[in-house]
Amino acid sequence: DIVMTQSPDSLAVSLGERATINCKSSQSVLYSSNNKNYLAWYQQKPGQPPKLLIYWASTRESGVPDRFSGSGSGTDFTLTISSLQAEDVAVYYCQQYYSTRSLTFGGGTKVEIK
Amino acid sequence: EVQLVQSGAEVKKPGESLKISCKGSGYSFTSYWIGWVRQMPGKGLEWMGIIYPGDSDTRYSPSFQGQVTISADKSISTAYLQWSSLKASDTAMYYCAKYGGGGRYYFDYWGQGTLVTVSS
C-alpha cells in the first residue's frame, strides 16, 4: 500500500492568516503517461461527511472558494488556505488514487482558530 | 442533483449480522464506482472497497478482505455493505461515496453516513 503521511496533526491559525498542510506519499503518485498527480484533498467538518476540495493535486472542485489551493508533485503535496475563515475549521485529509487496488488516506490534519 | 442516501443508524450485538445500504440518485448508477469508507470514533478515514454496479466488479482493501461483503442491486440503484458476524471493533461511522468516473478515482459525492454501534 502507498502510505500517506500528513503534517502537522493539528494547527491553530488566526483568522485571515495562512494555513499550510503537508502530505507526503511513500511512493510517487505522478502517472508519467498523462503527467497527472493522483492526489485529492477533502475537508470534513464536525458531524458531516467529507467534502471533495481538490483533485489532480491542484484542481479545485466546483464551488470551492479560491482561498483553497493545492500544489506539489510526485511525493510531496501541500494544501494552502490563503486567508483562514471561521467556516474552515475542519479536519483535512489527503488521499492518493494512484494505486486503484487500495486507495489510501492520510491521517488527517485538524485546523482550528487561534 | 446527485444524492447518496444511506440507511439509518444501527445498534447490534457482537456476533449478529448486518447489511447497510446506500441509494444513489441523480446520475447513472451503473456507470460509476461506489466505495465504502470507515471512520472509527475520533479517527481518520479508511478505504474499505469499491463496486462497479454495472457488472458488480468488486475490489477490497486488504485490511477488509474477508471481513465484509460489498454488493449492489442496480435495479434499485442501491449499494450494500454487510457483515456476517459483527465485532465490537466494527463500531464506526460508515460512508458510501461515488467515484468521479473516467479514471478519476477520487470521491466526488458522499452519503451522510451510517453509524454502526456493536455492543453487548
Side-chain angles (χ1 to χ4, degrees), chain B residues 47-101:
Chain B
W47 182 86
M48 302 176 70
I50 50 172
I51 187 165
Y52 189 75
D55 60 8
S56 292
D57 185 9
T58 308
R59 302 173 190 180
Y60 294 92
S61 161
S63 299
F64 292 93
Q65 179 84 47
Q67 307 304 306
V68 297
T69 301
I70 295 171
S71 61
D73 184 340
K74 60 185 179 182
S75 69
I76 55 172
S77 301
T78 301
Y80 301 97
L81 178 65
Q82 70 181 86
W83 296 259
S84 58
S85 180
L86 286 160
K87 302 184 283 288
S89 58
D90 293 318
T91 294
M93 181 72 80
Y94 292 88
Y95 294 103
C96 66
K98 167 191 162 293
Y99 273 2

Side-chain angles (χ1 to χ4, degrees), chain A residues 101-113:
Chain A
R101 282 189 168 276
S102 186
L103 282 64
T104 45
F105 292 92
T109 297
K110 187 175 185 178
V111 173
E112 300 173 306
I113 304 295

Side-chain angles (χ1 to χ4, degrees), chain A residues 24-91:
Chain A
K24 188 175 183 67
S25 58
S26 61
Q27 65 186 75
S28 176
V29 297
L30 174 63
Y31 197 42
S32 56
S33 66
N34 58 11
N35 201 37
K36 287 182 181 287
N37 287 283
Y38 283 54
L39 189 286
W41 289 96
Y42 301 87
Q43 174 194 63
Q44 187 178 31
K45 296 182 179 180
Q48 296 185 19
K51 172 189 171 184
L52 176 66
L53 292 178
I54 303 273
Y55 55 94
W56 300 132
S58 61
T59 302
R60 261 190 310 275
E61 174 71 333
S62 176
V64 173
D66 60 7
R67 63 180 180 273
F68 291 93
S69 63
S71 62
S73 185
T75 61
D76 292 280
F77 300 90
T78 299
L79 175 70
T80 301
I81 309 172
S82 61
S83 176
L84 191 76
Q85 304 300 304
E87 62 265 32
D88 301 334
V89 168
V91 180

